Amino acid sequence: MPSILITGASAGIGRATAELFLAEGWIVGLLARREDVLQNIASDKPNAIVIPADVCDPAQVASAFGSFQSQAGRLDVLFNNAGLFTEAAPIDEVPVADWDRAVAVNLTGMFLCARAAFKHMRMQDPQGGRIINNGSISAHVPRDGAVAYTVTKHGITGLTKQLSLDGRPFDIACGQIDIGNARTELLAGVIEKAASEAAPVPPTMDVGDVARSVLHMAQLPPEANVQFMTVMATKMPYIGRG
């Protein structure tokens, strides 16, 4: 039975992905801070492993990956998903505290989890595995007023490339999924705000389509890798020029 550890598994893309992998029979590590929510997702699912942890804390991350390895036997895939979006503003109005939070979760947290996964994949027998980083289309094209999110997600693209290179000798593949406007709790607020202001409602897609895309990446044989995948609402203004 293959195994995957999913960060940010308590809500949104992480939860949808976790539920799909559980249904597909994978051993799934559910990592997030809210243990009660994780326990609810894992209810009556013997292939779920609940791992409450903060991705920003190096000691908690190391402990979480060690716990998963001991329970699952090995780590085949990491979906490095946990992230946050701070309030939009021009750079001179962005609180330094918001910048620090974005860097801590979106960049340092993903580095710590990739680091822990890489270690276990390099040391396990047979050696190897796959890391899938959640980038965002903001890793390539920014939204207005999103400096902290944009910069950290550009950093994830660099992390993905570096892991792909450094993982080759150890049969560790790394790819990145860049997602745009999946219907989650976070996007629901954006839609409601647009409706209340009589503004255009942004195009969206079902979050289940994201989960199925991650599953496709995870199921590839070791000799194949999706380096970068963009999955988004078809009518998003991502491609084009003004």
Side-chain angles (χ1 to χ4, degrees):
M1 189 182 296
S3 65
I4 183 170
L5 194 156
I6 299 172
T7 68
S10 60
I13 291 166
R15 178 166 185 163
T17 303
E19 289 174 342
L20 176 60
F21 275 78
L22 285 167
E24 290 289 322
W26 286 57
I27 299 172
V28 180
L30 307 168
L31 192 155
R33 290 178 299 173
R34 296 182 292 171
E35 183 174 4
D36 58 333
V37 179
L38 298 180
Q39 292 289 358
N40 180 261
I41 297 169
S43 178
D44 300 323
K45 297 178 181 67
N47 52 328
I49 299 174
V50 172
I51 312 173
D54 184 345
V55 297
C56 301
D57 185 313
Q60 289 188 39
V61 169
S63 177
F65 277 77
S67 176
F68 180 78
Q69 180 88 4
S70 65
Q71 294 181 70
R74 67 178 283 112
L75 174 60
D76 293 309
V77 180
L78 164 67
F79 182 32
N80 209 4
N81 166 71
L84 60 79
F85 188 92
T86 55
E87 187 173 350
I91 188 170
D92 57 307
E93 296 179 9
V94 173
V96 174
D98 280 3
W99 168 264
D100 288 342
R101 275 198 311 134
V103 170
V105 177
N106 297 354
L107 197 53
T108 302
M110 292 187 76
F111 161 79
L112 292 172
C113 291
R115 179 176 181 267
F118 197 99
K119 175 183 177 180
H120 285 281
M121 290 173 179
R122 184 161 66 94
M123 302 303 245
Q124 64 193 2
D125 185 20
Q127 192 178 63
R130 188 181 306 275
I131 296 169
I132 301 171
N133 290 327
N134 186 345
S136 170
I137 60 173
S138 291
H140 306 279
V141 177
R143 292 180 185 271
D144 293 340
V147 63
Y149 190 76
T150 297
V151 171
T152 54
K153 289 302 185 178
H154 273 66
I156 295 309
T157 300
L159 177 65
T160 298
K161 292 177 180 179
Q162 192 68 53
L163 291 171
S164 294
L165 177 61
D166 293 346
R168 287 175 188 168
F170 311 110
D171 292 326
I172 300 171
C174 183
Q176 179 171 314
I177 183 166
D178 298 316
I179 302 161
N181 284 8
R183 287 192 292 278
T184 62
E185 300 94 324
L186 179 63
L187 197 62
V190 174
I191 294 170
E192 289 171 8
K193 182 179 179 183
S196 68
E197 296 175 353
V201 175
T204 62
M205 63 178 173
D206 192 309
V207 70
D209 293 321
V210 177
R212 284 185 286 275
S213 298
V214 176
L215 180 64
H216 167 70
M217 296 173 75
Q219 287 180 324
L220 288 173
E223 66 269 20
N225 184 45
V226 173
Q227 188 65 66
F228 292 97
M229 175 190 286
T230 300
V231 56
M232 65 182 195
T234 304
K235 294 186 178 181
M236 284 185 71
Y238 175 61
I239 301 297
R241 56 188 293 178

